[in-house]
């Protein structure tokens, strides 16, 4: 084979190889372009939603927004609850002189009545214990000592008395459903420091609450805190006024919703209060007291509506061992109904239960008894006549008093 033929042969093969390469690359480029086109279209259709998809998604978003709004409104919603109402009943009575003075004869005395009853502690409160047992709390003035001491405290004046009863007489209070006592009075020191300490110990040992002489009662009744204070009110002094302010404030700060002080004051056998009593009572109310109770004159005194709050200046005697036959045997139980709403005081209503210190008229048998007939009528009439600011509303049914401008 000559050189020219060989060149032609090689040239032909070269042309065939070039043609084959062009075809290869052409096919490769076509495949790549197809892949890119197919991928792009898939991506497009994957991310472009149909109208139905858009509607479903829009509804879903609206539902989520509505749900969020509802949850926010639920958080802001004020839950309206029905107010919780309750009624709390407190009873007050006058002087409990559960003992005697050694100057008195034994016959006709309170200790003699106790022995003659067969030593029954329940003898004394037999006609009123049902009243006290049905209330929520009962507070009285304990005007005697429970002590075995024979050392009398010296007293001024020509006529004076030193009262005491044995320690066991505390059971007269417990069997009579008495819950608390004030000991601020002119007989609690009749047997000196020993006498008052014996009395306090006897009361504490029998779970009788104490107010007065440095003691305060803060009692939770049906979930509401009540405060009771005791004072002797012989003078309208700055010292006493400061103590009243501080004591009421202390009880209020400790959560007392109602605070009622019980004063021992006044002039014996006088049926109307004098200026010291009036000034102290009104001062106490002006500084947060919700009502004021009083005792000492041995007779009932007027009641007063002061700024819509009640003052009972003297409850009189009640179970009184200081006289075997007092000429005025009239007394009463004052009941205070505290109407509460959500444990806050709404108002007070009052009820007077006329009573006599004895179950018989010819002598004192030391059995306080609810009055009936003429005695009941007389007591209510007397209280209304003595109490012009009550507008004749004092009665043995619950009554409300309004603030007088």
């Amino acid at each position: 084979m000559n050189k020219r033929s060989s060149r032609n042969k090689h040239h032909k093969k070269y042309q065939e190889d070039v043609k084959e390469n062009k075809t290869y690359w052409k096919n490769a480029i076509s495949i790549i372009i197809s892949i890119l086109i197919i991928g792009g279209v898939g991506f497009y259709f994957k991310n472009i939603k149909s109208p139905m998809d858009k509607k479903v998604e829009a509804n879903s978003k609206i539902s989520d927004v509505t749900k969020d709004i509802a949850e926010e409104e639920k958080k802001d919603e004020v839950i309206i609850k029905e107010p919780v109402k309750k009624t709390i009943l407190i009873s007050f009575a006058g002087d409990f002189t559960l003992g005697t003075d050694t100057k008195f004869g034994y016959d006709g005395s309170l200790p003699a009545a106790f022995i003659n009853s067969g030593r029954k502690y329940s003898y004394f409160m037999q006609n009123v214990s049902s009243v006290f047992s049905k209330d929520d709390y009962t507070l009285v003035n304990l005007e005697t000592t429970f002590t075995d001491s024979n050392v009398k405290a010296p007293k001024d004046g020509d006529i004076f008395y030193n009262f005491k009863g044995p320690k066991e007489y505390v059971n007269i209070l417990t069997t009579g459903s008495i819950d608390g006592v004030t000991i601020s009075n002119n007989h609690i020191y009749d047997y000196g420091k020993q006498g008052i300490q014996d009395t306090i110990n006897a009361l504490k040992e029998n779970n009788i609450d104490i107010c007065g002489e440095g003691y305060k009662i803060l009692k939770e009744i049906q979930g509401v805190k009540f405060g009771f204070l005791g004072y002797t009110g012989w003078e309208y002094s700055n010292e006493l006024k400061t103590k009243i302010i501080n004591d009421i404030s202390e009880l209020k700060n400790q959560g007392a919703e109602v605070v009622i002080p019980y004063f021992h004051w006044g002039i014996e056998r006088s049926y109307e209060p004098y200026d010291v009593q009036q000034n102290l009572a009104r001062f106490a109310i002006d500084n947060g007291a919700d009502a004021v109770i009083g005792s000492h004159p041995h007779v009932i005194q007027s009641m007063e509506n002061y700024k819509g709050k009640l003052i009972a200046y003297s409850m009189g005697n009640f179970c009184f061992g200081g006289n075997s036959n007092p000429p005025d045997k009239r007394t009463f139980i004052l009941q205070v109904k505290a109407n509460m709403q959500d444990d806050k005081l709404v108002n007070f209503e009052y009820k007077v239960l006329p009573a006599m210190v004895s179950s018989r008229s010819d002598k004192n048998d030391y059995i306080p008894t609810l009055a009936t007939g003429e005695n009941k009528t007389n007591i209510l009439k007397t209280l209304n006549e003595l109490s012009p600011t009550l507008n004749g509303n004092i009665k043995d049914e619950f009554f409300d008093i309004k603030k007088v401008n």
Side-chain angles (χ1 to χ4, degrees), residues 198-357:
D198 287 344
T199 305
I200 289 170
N201 290 341
L203 293 168
K204 287 184 174 181
E205 288 168 5
N206 288 273
N207 298 315
I208 301 292
D209 299 327
I210 306 168
C211 65
E213 303 308 300
Y215 290 87
K216 304 176 187 69
I217 295 174
L218 182 63
K219 190 76 172 183
E220 188 168 298
I221 306 171
Q222 291 191 44
V224 180
K225 289 183 179 180
F226 282 70
F228 301 100
L229 299 166
Y231 303 102
T232 50
W234 310 126
E235 296 179 351
Y236 186 58
S237 65
N238 289 331
E239 181 181 358
L240 180 54
K241 288 191 289 182
T242 299
K243 182 170 178 55
I244 290 169
I245 291 173
N246 291 340
D247 288 346
I248 293 175
S249 178
E250 179 183 332
L251 288 177
K252 294 279 188 180
N253 290 337
Q254 291 176 352
E257 178 64 21
V258 174
V259 175
I260 300 177
Y262 196 136
F263 286 88
H264 201 72
W265 54 12
I267 299 170
E268 291 187 10
R269 289 175 290 280
S270 173
Y271 291 92
E272 295 189 24
Y274 74 122
D275 59 347
V276 170
Q277 291 170 270
Q278 292 175 326
N279 291 337
L280 284 173
R282 295 169 182 176
F283 179 83
I285 288 174
D286 287 339
N287 287 277
D290 296 287
V292 172
I293 309 299
S295 68
H296 173 68
H298 302 302
V299 293
I300 58 177
Q301 285 189 339
S302 60
M303 302 170 74
E304 181 181 351
N305 173 3
Y306 178 69
K307 296 184 177 180
K309 297 183 179 181
L310 186 72
I311 303 168
Y313 283 106
S314 177
M315 305 285 293
N317 298 323
F318 199 74
C319 187
F320 187 61
N323 193 324
S324 61
N325 191 21
D328 191 341
K329 297 181 178 65
R330 296 176 298 177
T331 185
F332 63 95
I333 298 168
L334 176 65
Q335 293 198 304
V336 179
K337 183 166 71 172
N339 296 312
M340 317 297 297
Q341 181 168 303
D342 294 332
D343 291 340
K344 298 296 180 182
L345 179 65
V346 176
N347 72 317
F348 280 142
E349 293 178 75
Y350 304 95
K351 183 178 184 179
V352 169
L353 298 177
M356 307 296 285
V357 300

Side-chain angles (χ1 to χ4, degrees), residues 1-9:
M1 180 180 296
N2 57 29
K3 292 183 180 180
R4 183 174 179 181
S5 295
S6 177
R7 262 196 319 269
N8 288 339
K9 185 177 181 180

